[in-house]
Amino acid sequence: MTAITLDGVKTASDIKAELRDRIAALRSHGVVPGLATLLVGNDPGSETYVAGKHRDCAEVGIESLRIDLPGSATSADVRAAINDLNHSREVTGYIIQLPLPVGHNENAMLELIDPSKDADGLHPTNLGRLVLGIEGELRSPLPCTPAGIVELLRRYDVPIVGQKVVVVGRGLTVGRPLGLLFTRKGLDATVTLTHSRTVDLAGEVRRADIVVAAVGVPHLIQADWIKPGAAVLDVGVTRVTDPVTGKGRLTGDVHPDVASVAGHLSPNPRGVGPMTRAMLLSNVVKAAEQSLLA
Ligand SMILES: Nc1nc2c(c(=O)[nH]1)N[C@@H](CN(C=O)c1ccc(C(=O)N[C@@H](CCC(=O)O)C(=O)O)cc1)CN2
């Protein structure tokens, strides 16, 4: 058996095509959706992701603005940039690219974002709304990677309701919010959130119908950890330099042999990453649509 590939590039491209129509409709009402990014330092991964976000915006018709601060920026510099973004009339939504360089308090910075401009859904107010399960008028942006994972599963008709989900990793951008999302009414999965101190991780993973690996440990998840037919999402990424070619390459958390046991498998790269970017665009468009209703 070879797993069905959960193709993030194709799915993200479908989503972008749908968003283009909604953006055209917004523009016809005089609403131009916009996104700003704040990047501090020159982490190669973050630079790639931010560049990709601006490319995506241009592709679908979202205005975008890029604020880059040097690695030497102080926390006061970052706070000042956030303050400017909060008060800018042109900027309706923005993100702070994570991780921030060592020495900056990420949670403190995220807390300074105006929650109504939080395109990433990572401000405590928006995470709190996810905890509360608030929908409808007060619907707030969902963190992009968890939203992308659920959307990818949905578009491939992978059942979620009543399924056992094991999430490996409890980070802010993936594991923690994903546990909340999967247990929301309507999705109704049973979630086990595992981490570095989990006893018998392999045993936990073996029970799962859906496995999400988001730790950044290359090939941690082995084929004999996987229940035959389970859906496996490979999210964590490690940049390694090939000792032979000297070129950098990306390695996911899931061992390639998992493809012979799983029912569905998201590759890494080209799986959840492009979905993360598509969900950011979706958050920006939803916010613009809500501004029209307000
Ligand atoms: N403010 C945020 N910071 C971070 C988030 C986030 O959602 N908000 N998530 C990750 C990084 N991330 C988005 O910012 C992200 C990760 C991966 C990809 C992606 O498309 N990856 C490609 C490979 C790209 C490459 O060559 O490196 C893929 O998987 O095919 C996009 C966005 C942490 N920070």
Side-chain angles (χ1 to χ4, degrees):
M1 181 171 86
T2 297
I4 294 168
T5 299
L6 298 170
D7 185 341
V9 174
K10 184 197 171 290
T11 309
S13 160
D14 293 346
I15 292 169
K16 282 190 264 186
E18 293 157 17
L19 291 174
R20 251 183 239 115
D21 293 342
R22 286 162 62 184
I23 292 163
L26 283 164
R27 282 181 176 261
S28 73
H29 286 92
V31 176
V32 181
L35 173 73
T37 60
L38 174 57
L39 172 66
V40 186
N42 53 6
D43 173 76
S46 294
E47 283 188 344
T48 305
Y49 304 144
V50 167
K53 288 174 185 184
H54 289 275
R55 259 198 324 273
D56 291 338
C57 285
E59 216 184 292
V60 298
I62 292 175
E63 300 288 321
S64 75
L65 171 73
R66 188 172 167 157
I67 312 284
D68 289 359
L69 298 182
S72 58
T74 62
S75 293
D77 296 332
V78 180
R79 275 197 299 274
I82 294 171
N83 193 45
D84 287 349
L85 288 163
N86 284 343
H87 290 98
S88 162
R89 280 171 168 252
E90 285 74 43
V91 174
T92 51
Y94 71 95
I95 62 118
I96 302 173
Q97 187 62 38
L98 301 176
L100 287 172
V102 175
H104 296 277
N105 181 337
E106 280 180 0
N107 287 348
M109 295 303 168
L110 289 171
E111 205 159 352
L112 294 176
I113 298 176
D114 174 343
S116 70
K117 291 190 174 188
D118 171 27
D120 248 344
L122 295 176
H123 183 277
T125 296
N126 291 321
L127 286 173
R129 286 183 177 154
L130 175 58
V131 175
L132 293 170
I134 290 177
E135 292 277 4
E137 258 179 61
L138 279 176
R139 193 179 167 136
S140 15
L142 290 172
C144 302
T145 304
I149 288 168
V150 168
E151 193 60 30
L152 194 54
L153 291 170
R154 269 192 184 143
R155 288 186 183 233
Y156 277 86
D157 295 322
V158 176
I160 297 176
V161 175
Q163 300 296 288
K164 287 193 181 64
V165 177
V166 170
V167 180
V168 186
R170 56 180 158 185
L172 168 73
T173 55
V174 190
R176 276 175 196 271
L178 184 58
L180 293 165
L181 189 56
F182 267 133
T183 49
R184 242 184 181 185
K185 277 213 165 59
L187 291 181
D188 299 314
T190 302
V191 177
T192 305
L193 194 54
T194 67
H195 46 78
S196 54
R197 305 290 292 270
T198 295
V199 174
D200 189 18
L201 180 61
E204 294 293 344
V205 171
R206 269 186 204 112
R207 279 189 279 279
D209 305 302
I210 299 173
V211 180
V212 180
V215 271
V217 177
H219 297 175
L220 172 72
I221 309 295
Q222 303 290 313
D224 66 352
W225 294 19
I226 301 299
K227 184 202 269 190
V232 180
L233 293 113
D234 189 357
V235 184
V237 71
T238 309
R239 283 166 196 275
V240 285
T241 306
D242 190 309
V244 180
T245 62
K247 283 190 183 158
R249 65 183 157 80
L250 305 179
T251 305
D253 288 351
V254 175
H255 194 282
D257 289 352
V258 166
S260 61
V261 185
H264 292 83
L265 176 63
S266 78
N268 193 351
R270 303 177 68 82
V272 172
M275 291 300 293
T276 296
R277 280 161 47 188
M279 291 300 106
L280 177 61
L281 301 176
S282 168
N283 279 349
V284 172
V285 171
K286 279 184 195 157
E289 288 170 343
Q290 270 164 26
S291 78
L292 204 57
L293 296 174

